[in-house]
Amino acid sequence: MLSFAIFMEYLCVRVYLMVHGIITLYTFLHDLDVYRSTRTMSTQNLSTRLVPLFVVTLALHGCGTSPARISPSPNDGPGVRADVAPAPGASVRVGGDRAAMVTVADGGFRAGVCGIDTPLPVGYPAPTPPQAIDLKTYPAVRLAEVVSSGDPDAGMNRTFWPLFNHIKEHDIAMTAPVEMTFRGMPGPEASTPESWSMAFVYRTPELNGTGVEGRVIVRDTEPVTVVAAGEKGDYSMSLVQRRKLRVGQWLASNPQWEPAGDWRALYYNGPALFWWNKWAEVQLPVRPTSAVRRAAASGSPGAE
């Protein structure tokens, strides 16, 4: 059961969004009336009224949702292997807050004050709750990606809109999370990537073919196993850096795993939520070390 404090914070967020939505709707209807009377409102000005209305409507969707069941909380108890990759779509709790739980209701997820109402891609593992560390495996997916360089904090809007227009043009529903990949940023201490990308993941691959459409690259991925550190807060490189250090500490304590790809961040919420309640994960692709792989291939007892 959610504590009274968490319930009150949740209620305040919903009331704020409802009031904001009413004000936005009133302003839009007023401007629309002016437009009908004078025909002077520009398309750009009209769109600035529609976008916040659209975002708030999405945020308010599911206000009546209540937690219906609790997803199993993975841990390192009997039968759990911390040196074997989970199957695609599965996860294992391997560190951090081992008691952290994710509630599931009407297709959405909730962990404390954090919530996700937008559907995840088919086959995705459940999100990692803030302060927990999971080992999880993602299935092969099809995604639309825009590559950029420079400061990711300053450039996210420039990559978001080409992706948004892409899924709008193809009538593809948006999923959560938005995925950021940071290239050329080795080690937990490195804080500036050489390049980075933002991606929207298709819910299912058949929604569109692969190829290049302007700045948008549509491609298929391979299954990947990651160490994921859950977090909540502002979507920024500061958040990424905090959880990178935590993942680095976990790797140092689990030498049977080694890095196998670029750092990435998963951002689950849109701009309508308060920044301190936004749900995120910072992840590093990993694989068993060569010694573990050799032991597994030879059937050595060390692989058991």
Side-chain angles (χ1 to χ4, degrees):
M1 180 179 293
L2 298 177
S3 70
F4 178 75
I6 292 176
F7 171 76
M8 288 303 297
E9 184 170 2
Y10 174 80
L11 182 62
C12 288
V13 170
R14 291 305 185 183
V15 170
Y16 167 81
L17 290 173
M18 186 174 297
V19 172
H20 188 277
I22 292 172
I23 294 172
T24 302
L25 179 60
Y26 173 82
T27 305
F28 170 70
L29 292 175
H30 175 268
D31 287 345
L32 184 60
D33 185 60
V34 171
Y35 170 72
R36 287 174 174 171
S37 301
T38 65
R39 303 282 181 171
T40 59
M41 179 184 287
S42 67
T43 302
Q44 182 178 4
N45 191 28
L46 183 63
S47 67
T48 62
R49 303 299 187 188
L50 280 171
V51 169
L53 180 62
F54 171 73
V55 171
V56 172
T57 301
L58 284 180
L60 287 171
H61 177 68
C63 278
T65 298
S66 58
R69 64 182 179 85
I70 297 178
S71 65
S73 179
N75 54 58
D76 59 350
V80 173
R81 294 279 301 274
D83 60 343
V84 176
S91 63
V92 176
R93 180 66 42 78
V94 294
D97 184 356
R98 297 180 184 274
M101 304 290 285
V102 176
T103 59
V104 182
D106 298 334
F109 299 91
R110 191 161 186 83
V113 298
C114 297
I116 304 167
D117 293 325
T118 308
L120 273 59
V122 172
Y124 257 38
T128 298
Q131 305 309 315
I133 298 178
D134 289 343
L135 184 69
K136 57 174 72 175
T137 299
Y138 287 83
V141 294
R142 182 162 295 174
L143 54 78
E145 180 181 51
V146 172
V147 179
S148 189
S149 60
D151 182 6
D153 290 346
M156 280 196 289
N157 282 340
R158 295 195 302 271
T159 53
F160 176 87
W161 288 109
L163 291 169
F164 182 81
N165 290 332
H166 167 79
I167 62 172
K168 180 180 177 182
E169 177 182 348
H170 291 281
D171 196 25
I172 297 173
M174 191 167 183
T175 61
V178 171
E179 298 189 359
M180 304 282 293
T181 301
F182 307 101
R183 300 176 178 87
M185 195 170 61
E189 295 79 16
S191 59
T192 305
E194 294 177 1
S195 65
W196 53 275
S197 64
M198 177 183 286
F200 289 0
V201 182
Y202 293 175
R203 185 157 169 76
T204 55
E206 70 274 6
L207 294 173
N208 190 29
T210 59
V212 179
E213 302 179 17
R215 294 184 62 196
V216 178
I217 302 169
V218 182
R219 64 180 180 88
D220 292 331
T221 69
E222 296 293 330
V224 60
T225 298
V226 303
V227 176
E231 182 63 290
K232 65 184 181 74
D234 189 27
Y235 292 162
S236 65
M237 290 305 294
S238 175
L239 179 149
V240 171
Q241 191 63 19
R242 290 197 307 271
R243 303 318 285 169
K244 278 183 61 186
L245 293 173
R246 190 67 187 89
V247 171
Q249 293 169 357
W250 185 88
L251 276 176
S253 301
N254 292 269
Q256 69 271 32
W257 293 96
E258 63 183 10
D262 296 310
W263 290 93
R264 61 188 210 164
L266 274 57
Y267 297 149
Y268 287 101
N269 300 125
L273 288 183
F274 291 126
W275 62 265
W276 55 83
N277 285 342
K278 291 185 176 182
W279 196 341
E281 294 182 37
V282 175
Q283 302 181 342
L284 180 66
V286 294
R287 65 188 175 193
T289 61
S290 57
V292 172
R293 296 198 302 271
R294 285 195 301 269
S298 65
S300 165
E304 297 298 326

